[in-house]
């Protein structure tokens, strides 16, 4: 009987298996994929505004499916005669380069393209695709460990090269004005954190050794992890390093470089992640004994806690909390925000004036979201620093369910409004040039 069940389950998995293939090679490899439409440039529906969208895909081992995708994306970025706002996105579990995440990412790009605050920028999105969905339907939920292992493999040299090369191209023509944002969701956040962490650490420490201080050009203007499905030990390690540098008063912790946000209602990372990682880490026990000088409350904590919880579900790492508040004194009216926006026909960006308010005006750590039942009405929130939290540019926090509901989608109107605020907090209106971090000798 057991053999019958196993055989039936195996056949079901095989019959529902998602193809191990690229989806967006049309336009650069028509001889291989003649029926696919080129997807390297898309136009927003707003009159006179457009965004460009490129795809770069990686195989099961993290290598390029076709390196020409990166070359095509680089050429498209170089073609812009305006400063570029580059937004690179890495999707998570249950998705690939042909899933619903592509359309919700387009919503973010459309909103950026029609923003009055960004009229001087060319918006360019790059979707980094990998095999996040292994099988179709509900059977995909049993692939947790398999896809987590794949995400860890994908976080290798090719994807790190891609992220840094795209940023290099965006900053090349207009180094004083172009901005670069990298976003990872779910296992995509795991990929992003692992791909960037060693590069950041190496860059910071190399600059410190070479110059005995000075400025370090950050690899991006904002690195955003949303509902991260990575072990919180990675966040702890990076936070500890930043904490050591910040201990010397060398960087400004009020301008975050990395921000990890997780929905309070995210059951995938809050409940299922500990279950899925419990057995692989059953014997991974040791205690940290060096106290809290650099990190956040790691003293006498079992490492198992960091291996079976994500950053957004490990309160030891939290730096901020999101609280409702009254409108700040310098808040602008929703009517003014609405009048500033161009008319558009894409439903996903039809009524989200809070996005423009957050992007156009810096209100410190306060930001607005629009009431889903009445977009003309703002609700105000404040990012409050947690007393005693680590003082470094890696912010980790949970967000209310009404801003991001459950694990996905993340590019909802409220989610996009908060992302606009986080970008403005990390990049004040008067900030120009590549993002820099001061290093003390």
């Amino acid at each position: 009987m057991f053999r019958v069940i196993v055989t039936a389950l195996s056949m079901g998995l095989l019959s529902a298996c998602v193809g191990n293939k690229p989806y967006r090679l049309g336009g650069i490899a028509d001889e291989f994929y003649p029926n696919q439409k080129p997807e390297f440039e898309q136009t927003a529906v707003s009159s006179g505004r457009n965004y460009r969208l490129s795809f770069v895909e990686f195989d099961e081992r993290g290598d390029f499916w076709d390196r020409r995708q990166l070359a095509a994306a680089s050429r498209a970025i170089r073609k812009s005669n305006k400063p570029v706002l580059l937004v690179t996105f890495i999707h998570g579990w249950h998705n690939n380069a042909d899933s619903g995440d592509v359309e919700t990412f387009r919503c973010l790009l459309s909103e950026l393209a029609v923003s009055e605050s960004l009229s001087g920028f060319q918006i360019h999105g790059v979707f980094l695709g990998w095999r996040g969905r292994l099988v179709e339907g509900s059977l995909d939920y049993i692939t947790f460990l398999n896809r987590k292992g794949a995400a860890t493999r994908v976080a290798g040299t090719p994807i790190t090269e891609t992220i840094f090369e795209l940023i290099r191209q965006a900053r090349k023509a207009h180094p004083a004005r172009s901005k670069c944002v990298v976003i990872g969701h779910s296992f995509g956040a795991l990929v992003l954190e692992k791909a960037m962490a060693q590069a950041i650490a190496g860059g910071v420490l190399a600059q410190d050794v070479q110059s005995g201080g000075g400025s370090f050009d950050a690899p991006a203007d904002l690195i955003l992890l949303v509902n991260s499905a990575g072990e919180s030990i990675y966040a702890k390690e990076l936070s500890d390093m930043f904490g050591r540098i910040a201990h010397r008063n060398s960087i400004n912790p009020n301008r975050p470089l990395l921000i990890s946000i997780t929905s309070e209602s995210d059951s995938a990372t809050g409940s299922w992640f500990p279950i899925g990682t419990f057995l692989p880490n059953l014997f991974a026990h040791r205690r940290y004994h060096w106290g809290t000088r650099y990190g956040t409350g790691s003293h006498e904590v079992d490492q198992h806690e960091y291996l079976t919880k994500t950053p957004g579900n490990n309160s030891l790492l939290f730096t901020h909390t999101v609280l409702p508040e009254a409108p700040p004194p310098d808040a602008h009216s929703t009517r003014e925000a609405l009048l500033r926006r161009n008319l558009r026909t894409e439903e996903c960006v039809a009524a989200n004036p809070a996005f423009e308010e957050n992007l156009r005006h810096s209100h410190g750590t306060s930001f607005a979201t629009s009431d889903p039942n009445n977009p003309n009405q703002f609700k105000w929130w404040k990012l409050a620093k947690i007393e005693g939290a680590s003082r470094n540019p890696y912010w980790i926090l949970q967000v209310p369910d009404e801003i991001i509901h459950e694990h996905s989608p993340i590019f909802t109107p409220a989610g996009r409004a908060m992302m606009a605020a986080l970008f403005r907090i990390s990049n004040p209106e008067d900030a120009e040039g590549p993002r820099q971090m001061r290093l003390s000798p």
Side-chain angles (χ1 to χ4, degrees):
M1 182 65 181
F2 177 74
R3 182 177 298 176
V4 172
I5 294 174
V6 171
T7 301
L9 183 59
S10 300
M11 292 180 64
L13 283 171
L14 289 173
S15 64
C17 190
V18 174
N20 183 23
K21 64 179 183 179
Y23 293 87
R24 303 287 180 169
L25 288 184
I28 64 166
D30 287 331
E31 66 273 24
F32 301 135
Y33 296 88
N35 298 321
Q36 290 188 325
K37 178 182 176 182
E39 293 283 355
F40 294 107
E41 188 166 319
Q42 296 292 331
T43 302
V45 295
S46 175
S47 176
R49 302 287 180 83
N50 67 81
Y51 64 85
R52 293 171 180 161
L53 176 58
S54 302
F55 293 83
V56 183
E57 296 175 87
F58 304 88
D59 67 15
E60 190 75 0
R61 296 294 171 179
D63 203 359
F64 293 99
W65 272 110
D66 193 324
R67 185 176 276 274
R68 287 177 293 176
Q69 286 185 314
L70 175 57
S74 298
R75 285 195 302 270
I77 292 170
R78 287 198 305 269
K79 284 195 306 184
S80 175
N81 57 8
K82 297 193 296 184
V84 173
L85 172 55
L86 173 69
V87 185
T88 304
F89 175 63
I90 309 174
H91 67 81
W93 194 21
H94 305 312
N95 288 278
N96 51 43
D98 192 37
S99 65
D101 270 6
V102 176
E103 296 309 313
T104 59
F105 183 48
R106 290 185 195 275
C107 288
L108 174 65
L109 299 177
S110 293
E111 187 122 55
L112 292 169
V114 299
S115 169
E116 291 297 327
S117 306
L118 301 173
S119 59
F121 289 86
Q122 170 65 57
I123 308 302
H124 196 119
V126 182
F127 191 99
L128 303 187
W130 60 286
R131 198 185 186 193
R133 176 174 286 279
L134 188 62
V135 296
E136 297 289 355
S138 58
L139 286 175
D140 199 38
Y141 283 91
I142 67 175
T143 66
F144 173 85
L145 287 177
N146 184 284
R147 292 303 85 197
K148 182 176 178 295
T152 303
R153 293 192 299 271
V154 169
T157 300
I159 204 162
T160 302
E161 176 195 353
T162 297
I163 294 169
F164 278 80
E165 173 62 15
L166 295 172
I167 291 172
R168 186 180 76 88
Q169 294 296 339
R171 288 175 170 173
K172 190 174 183 179
H174 302 275
R177 292 207 60 207
S178 291
K179 297 292 182 182
C180 303
V181 177
V182 194
I183 304 172
H185 171 232
S186 185
F187 282 151
L190 165 62
V191 173
L192 178 57
E193 188 169 36
K194 287 185 68 64
M196 298 292 281
Q198 294 187 52
I200 292 173
V204 169
L205 298 176
Q207 177 67 24
D208 206 13
V209 169
Q210 292 170 10
S211 65
S215 296
F216 165 68
D217 287 345
D221 296 286
L222 175 62
I223 301 168
L224 182 61
L225 313 176
V226 186
N227 288 338
S228 173
E231 296 95 325
S232 59
I233 193 168
Y234 304 131
K236 176 199 174 297
E237 292 166 349
L238 200 52
S239 292
D240 284 353
M241 185 207 70
F242 278 129
R244 181 178 67 84
I245 298 172
H247 183 72
R248 304 193 319 242
N249 297 316
S250 54
I251 54 178
N252 181 3
N254 297 319
R255 284 191 63 189
L257 172 61
L258 293 96
I259 304 178
S260 178
I261 60 175
T262 297
S263 171
E264 294 174 347
S265 62
D266 182 7
S267 59
T269 62
S271 299
W272 291 106
F273 187 90
I275 295 173
T277 56
F278 180 79
L279 284 178
N281 296 292
L282 183 62
F283 302 106
H285 292 277
R286 58 155 289 199
R287 291 190 176 273
Y288 296 102
H289 298 292
W290 57 78
T292 61
R293 181 179 178 187
Y294 302 137
T296 58
S298 59
H299 187 51
E300 290 298 323
V301 175
D302 195 323
Q303 191 180 63
H304 193 263
E305 291 287 303
Y306 292 100
L307 296 172
T308 57
K309 291 182 179 179
T310 67
N313 293 282
N314 189 339
S315 60
L316 293 171
L317 296 173
F318 291 174
T319 60
H320 294 73
T321 186
V322 181
L323 302 172
E325 70 162 4
D330 58 345
H332 296 75
S333 69
T334 55
R335 177 175 175 78
E336 180 186 351
L338 282 168
L339 290 174
R340 284 198 303 263
R341 297 180 63 81
N342 294 337
L343 294 176
R344 60 190 59 84
T345 58
E346 272 190 318
E347 182 180 353
C348 66
V349 293
N352 191 16
F355 181 92
E356 183 72 10
E357 175 66 19
N358 295 335
L359 201 58
R360 190 178 184 90
H361 299 287
S362 176
H363 300 292
T365 55
S366 298
F367 66 95
T369 57
S370 297
D371 186 329
N373 298 316
N374 181 12
N376 297 339
Q377 183 66 43
F378 283 169
K379 181 168 184 178
W380 285 90
W381 308 85
K382 184 176 181 62
L383 284 169
K385 182 79 161 54
I386 295 176
E387 186 177 355
S390 179
R391 181 180 177 273
N392 71 68
Y394 191 170
W395 292 9
I396 302 173
L397 58 140
Q398 286 192 343
V399 301
D401 173 76
E402 61 187 281
I403 296 179
I404 297 179
H405 175 64
E406 261 288 348
H407 191 64
S408 62
I410 60 172
F411 296 123
T412 60
R416 297 195 306 268
M418 183 174 186
M419 291 176 193
L422 296 176
F423 173 79
R424 184 53 66 210
I425 291 170
S426 183
N427 299 273
E429 294 158 288
D430 59 350
E432 286 196 351
R435 174 70 189 280
Q436 292 188 329
M437 296 164 58
R438 295 292 304 173
L439 301 177
S440 297

